[in-house]
Amino acid sequence: MLVAAAVCPCPPLLVPEVAAGAAPELDAARAACADALGVLAAARPDLLVVVGPADPGTRGPHPQGTPGSFRGFGVGLDVTLGARDDGATVPGGTLPPSLAVAGWLLARAGWTGVPVEGLGVAETLDPEECLAAGRELASRAPRVALLAMGDASACRTLKAPGYLDERAAPFDAVAARALADADLAALRALDAKLARELKAAGRAPWQVLAGAAQDADLGGALLLDDAPYGVGYLVATWS
């Protein structure tokens, strides 16, 4: 059963080494993510599941200790999803960038003692499939915490990765309210096609969260709602 959840953005720029000179610009986002992980730890889960958008080669489950890297972003920094047990077999495959960011956040928070699993999902995943995946994840342990990694729209300004789209700010506002209120119906209703057009990679992980929380009766809190670089970054907790 889901006992707590957190939502964090997943830009590699969260990692200071990747952001380089621009690192201070995301200090507020890093602090909000740290606070969100604190809520997960306080729930004392038996299992933490991290869900994030992924390309075809990195979709599917990722066991604890799966390696990830930021070398593709010009930084010689490697991470793992959760702590790797000494002597354990190194899992095959690599983390998608979204879960590599999660691995960095967990290491930064000193997350230990609770098993961690990852799931990379397609940004095109049908909402009903997202909900079903969430229900399955919530059944994995008596006390499950879920960390949903994903950005809101990438079309908030002229210089945004997706250029300016007037639909972006209203879409992000709906998502922010839904996450703030733990409004499952509003998350389920997010339009997958519109999310793809707005490059909102968080849509699928948020709908996985909605499925996992179906019977959990959790309350929400919004810790961050910002759009640096024209990309919506939302941090929320459910407990």
Side-chain angles (χ1 to χ4, degrees):
M1 180 177 179
L2 189 73
V3 296
V7 170
C8 290
C10 60
L13 288 174
L14 273 181
V15 179
E17 291 88 340
V18 175
E25 296 174 15
L26 291 182
D27 280 347
R30 295 184 192 100
C33 289
D35 290 343
L37 292 182
V39 170
L40 298 185
R44 299 189 177 184
D46 303 312
L47 173 68
L48 172 64
V49 180
V50 186
V51 181
D55 292 330
T58 54
R59 291 174 192 163
H62 295 277
Q64 180 165 330
T66 300
S69 174
F70 296 98
R71 295 179 185 274
F73 300 95
V75 175
L77 176 65
D78 299 317
V79 296
T80 59
L81 186 65
R84 182 181 296 166
D85 294 333
D86 292 340
T89 301
V90 177
T94 59
L95 298 172
S98 63
L99 298 190
V101 172
W104 179 83
L105 287 172
L106 291 170
R108 182 172 181 256
W111 186 279
T112 58
V114 177
V116 181
E117 296 179 3
L119 178 65
V121 297
E123 292 181 39
T124 57
L125 194 65
D126 179 87
E128 288 302 322
E129 293 178 294
C130 292
L131 297 172
R135 290 191 292 269
E136 193 280 328
L137 293 177
S139 70
R140 297 290 301 279
R143 298 181 63 82
V144 175
L146 191 148
L147 173 58
M149 303 294 295
D151 304 337
S153 72
C155 302
R156 293 280 291 272
T157 67
L158 291 173
K159 294 185 178 180
Y163 197 66
L164 176 65
D165 191 314
E166 298 297 341
R167 302 171 296 173
F171 177 91
D172 288 357
V174 169
R177 285 195 297 271
L179 294 171
D181 298 336
D183 187 335
L184 305 187
L187 287 180
R188 290 193 295 264
L190 290 175
D191 188 308
K193 181 175 182 293
L194 176 59
R196 288 195 300 274
E197 292 173 356
L198 298 176
K199 304 183 183 300
R203 188 277 309 173
W206 299 338
Q207 289 184 327
V208 171
L209 169 58
Q214 181 174 292
D215 300 314
D217 192 26
L218 301 178
L222 189 65
L223 307 187
L224 180 80
D225 181 357
D226 198 5
Y229 318 119
V231 181
Y233 293 161
L234 301 173
V235 178
T237 58
W238 293 10
S239 60

